[in-house]
Amino acid sequence: MRLTRAVVRPPGSTFAAGLTTVNLGVPDLTLALGQHEAYVRTLERCGLAVTRLPADPVHPDSTFVEDAAVLLPEGAILTRPGAPSREGEVASIRAALAGLVPAIGEISPPGTLDGGDICEAGRHFLIGLSHRTNEDGARQLASILSRHGYTSAVVDIRTIAGILHLKSGVSYLGGGRLLVIDELHGHPAFHAFDRLVVPDGEEYAANAIRVNDHVVLPAGFPRVEALVQLSGTPVLTVGMSEFRKMDGGPSCLSLRF
Ligand code: CIR
C-alpha cells in the first residue's frame, strides 16, 4: 500500500520516566530529540507528509504514538492501551487524527490493545496477544477488520521472552515477506509468508517498517540490513539507541497511512 502521511510526537521532558523492561540505562533526551528529528526526515524522504504533534510530558510514553491507533485505508481504529499509564494518550491521538482520517472504530472495555501488537500484511492482519493486548481486544479488532473485508490471525506471544509487542518480533516487509525472530518463525500464522529470520544477536532489528520504496531499520544491525537488501528492498537506517532504552523501535514512533 502506498503511504502518504504520518503522525509523530517527539519525546517530552518526562520521557525517561516511561515504562521499560530493558536494562540499557537512562535515555538522553537531547539525543532522543535528535534521533526523532532524523526519523521524521527519513519518513519524509520516503515520501510521507509528517504531522508533528506537540510533546506531551503528562504521558512519558506518548512518543510511541503507534500504540494508540490502528490505521486502515478506510480510517482509524482507536485503541485502548494495555498499560494504565498510557490510557490517557488516546484522547489527543483521536483529536489529531480527526482532521485527517475518519474514525471507523474503537476498542472498548474490557478489551485492551496496543498498536504495536498489530502487524498489517496487505489484506491480512496478524494480531499479537501480549501482556498489553488481551483476548477481548484482539476479538474486537478482528471483528472490525472483518467488517472492512480484512482477514486476521492471532499470534500469542505471552510466553516469548524479550518482546513487548508482536512487532518487536516480526515485521511485514511487503511482497509476502516477513522479517521474524527465530523463536517465532515456525508459528503457523506465518506459514504462508516468505520468512527472513533475524540472525542471532540482532533481534532488536526485527522491528522494521516498510515505507513505500524502502525498509526503515534501526542502525547498527548489519546482518539484518544485508538480509533485507538481498531480498530486494533498499534499506534506510535510523539511530534508535535512546528509544530502545524505553522498549521502542522504528514502528512505534509513527502512525503511517
Ligand atoms: C511502553 O512500554 O509502552 C513503551 N515504553 C514502549 C512502547 C513501544 N511501542 C511499540 O512497540 N509499538
Side-chain angles (χ1 to χ4, degrees):
M1 181 179 65
R2 203 78 199 159
L3 299 169
T4 58
R5 304 197 68 112
V7 170
V8 302
R9 185 193 295 286
S13 54
T14 57
F15 180 50
L19 304 169
T20 186
T21 60
V22 291
N23 211 352
L24 295 172
V26 179
D28 176 316
L29 182 59
T30 307
L31 188 49
L33 287 167
Q35 291 181 339
H36 194 267
E37 185 56 37
Y39 174 85
V40 170
R41 283 199 305 272
T42 302
L43 295 186
E44 288 172 340
R45 187 172 159 197
C46 294
L48 306 192
V50 181
T51 301
R52 298 160 189 256
L53 305 179
D56 172 10
V58 174
H59 298 102
D61 282 309
S62 56
T63 189
F64 301 115
V65 288
E66 173 181 68
D67 293 317
V70 175
L71 273 297
L72 306 182
E74 292 82 355
I77 301 159
L78 281 310
T79 69
R80 190 162 173 269
S85 65
R86 300 200 61 192
E87 271 179 43
E89 292 176 28
V90 178
S92 65
I93 293 294
R94 180 197 298 275
L97 290 174
L100 301 172
V101 286
I104 58 165
E106 64 187 294
I107 305 300
S108 331
T112 61
L113 184 135
D114 278 15
D117 279 316
I118 313 308
C119 181
E120 169 270 327
R123 304 288 306 172
H124 185 65
F125 282 74
L126 302 162
I127 304 178
L129 264 190
S130 68
H131 297 298
R132 300 290 178 85
T133 296
N134 66 17
E135 286 175 16
D136 192 70
R139 219 173 5 249
Q140 290 183 41
L141 181 68
S143 135
I144 298 169
L145 289 171
S146 128
R147 281 206 292 281
H148 290 276
Y150 297 92
T151 55
S152 60
V154 165
V155 181
D156 189 345
I157 60 155
R158 288 172 295 188
T159 57
I160 313 270
I163 59 171
L164 176 66
H165 288 126
L166 176 64
K167 280 190 292 190
S168 319
V170 60
S171 301
Y172 184 60
L173 303 181
R177 292 164 304 158
L178 287 180
L179 178 64
V180 60
I181 56 171
D182 190 42
E183 292 94 312
L184 276 176
H185 90 276
H187 194 286
F190 303 151
H191 282 174
F193 294 90
D194 288 333
R195 281 153 282 164
L196 311 185
V197 180
V198 173
D200 235 18
E202 294 202 359
E203 287 78 5
Y204 175 71
N207 183 268
I209 43 175
R210 174 72 191 254
V211 190
N212 296 334
D213 301 328
H214 291 91
V215 168
V216 178
L217 283 176
F221 300 89
R223 288 178 294 154
V224 173
E225 207 178 317
L227 201 62
V228 175
Q229 298 266 24
L230 267 175
S231 81
T233 311
V235 166
L236 296 172
T237 61
V238 285
M240 290 292 304
S241 62
E242 304 317 290
F243 297 101
R244 185 181 186 185
K245 291 173 182 172
M246 304 309 291
D247 266 332
S251 79
C252 330
L253 291 182
S254 58
L255 286 163
R256 303 159 299 279
F257 49 103

